Amino acid sequence: MLSRGRIVDAAIDLIEREGADAVSMRGIAAGLGVGVMSLYNHVPNKAALLDAISETILSKIEFTDDPSAPWTDRVRVQARAFRQIAHHYPRSTMVVFSRQLHSSAGLLPVERALSTLRDAGFEGSEAVRMLRMFVAYIVGSLLREVGVTPTFAPVRGDATVAEVDPVLFPEVSSLAPLLTSCDHDEEFEFGLELLVQAMAVRAGEQSGRRRARG
């Protein structure tokens, strides 16, 4: 039986196979073996479908952070949870960042992240900026992992890497073994830890200023 959920799942599958540009009501209907007009009984238009895709992806995030744990640990867990979903649905995750979400499913991850940052003592404006910083980091990491942005390492293990002139580029040449290999999990954790440590320093500075004013 045709349903909104089946339509959204078919659209997500299509995006992961062929990219967001391949999404059309006609193409999804063909994939489901139904008439295109029948889709409109469940999804009014393509924009609504893209919103539904975004909300579905976000609803799949499994938050396991303990509200009583230190905020730094909660930030780490939340970032990893979002990355896991981005790993499973890399192309659909890009759709998420192109939509303005207003549903409960779409806003829950944002609420959770902002609540954690506010509990850490950050003012509203800084909490929003830090949320955006983490989103930018996760998206950048995702793009690197799927080969959109450079890692300096080959995306495919069987790819060859051009030799570098050691006279013109002595550092690149000497560090070539490191530049031409990339463990994405380790790279993500390294960057995540740097961000969390910087945030902790910032939180300590703000706490000190508040005590000084008090």
Side-chain angles (χ1 to χ4, degrees), residues 124-134 202:
S125 60
E126 286 218 325
V128 169
R129 288 175 178 174
M130 288 186 176
L131 172 62
R132 289 172 176 160
M133 175 187 69
F134 264 97
R202 185 82 167 185

Side-chain angles (χ1 to χ4, degrees), residues 76-168:
R76 291 185 183 96
V77 171
Q78 291 170 15
R80 290 168 186 151
F82 194 92
R83 178 177 180 250
Q84 185 176 35
I85 286 298
H87 249 197
H88 290 159
Y89 305 97
R91 290 180 167 179
S92 298
T93 298
M94 294 298 101
V95 174
V96 171
F97 296 119
S98 71
R99 314 304 297 174
Q100 290 290 331
L101 302 178
H102 304 288
S103 70
S104 297
L107 293 176
L108 179 59
V110 178
E111 175 67 23
R112 190 139 184 170
L114 289 175
S115 176
T116 300
L117 295 169
R118 295 286 279 157
D119 288 345
F122 294 110
E123 297 178 355
S125 60
E126 286 218 325
V128 169
R129 288 175 178 174
M130 288 186 176
L131 172 62
R132 289 172 176 160
M133 175 187 69
F134 264 97
V135 169
Y137 175 65
I138 294 170
V139 171
S141 296
L142 175 63
L143 292 175
R144 180 188 63 203
E145 291 181 37
V146 299
V148 176
T149 58
T151 61
F152 298 102
V155 177
R156 300 191 339 270
D158 61 346
T160 58
V161 180
E163 292 186 5
V164 175
D165 187 333
V167 175
L168 291 176

Side-chain angles (χ1 to χ4, degrees), residues 33-109:
V34 300
V36 66
M37 296 308 297
S38 64
L39 300 186
Y40 294 102
N41 294 323
H42 305 278
V43 183
N45 51 49
K46 182 178 176 179
L49 176 60
L50 293 175
D51 286 342
I53 290 167
S54 300
E55 292 161 7
T56 298
I57 295 299
L58 289 174
S59 71
K60 293 178 181 294
I61 299 177
E62 295 183 3
F63 291 109
T64 59
D65 56 305
D66 181 356
S68 64
W71 68 267
T72 49
D73 290 343
R74 295 185 64 195
V75 167
R76 291 185 183 96
V77 171
Q78 291 170 15
R80 290 168 186 151
F82 194 92
R83 178 177 180 250
Q84 185 176 35
I85 286 298
H87 249 197
H88 290 159
Y89 305 97
R91 290 180 167 179
S92 298
T93 298
M94 294 298 101
V95 174
V96 171
F97 296 119
S98 71
R99 314 304 297 174
Q100 290 290 331
L101 302 178
H102 304 288
S103 70
S104 297
L107 293 176
L108 179 59

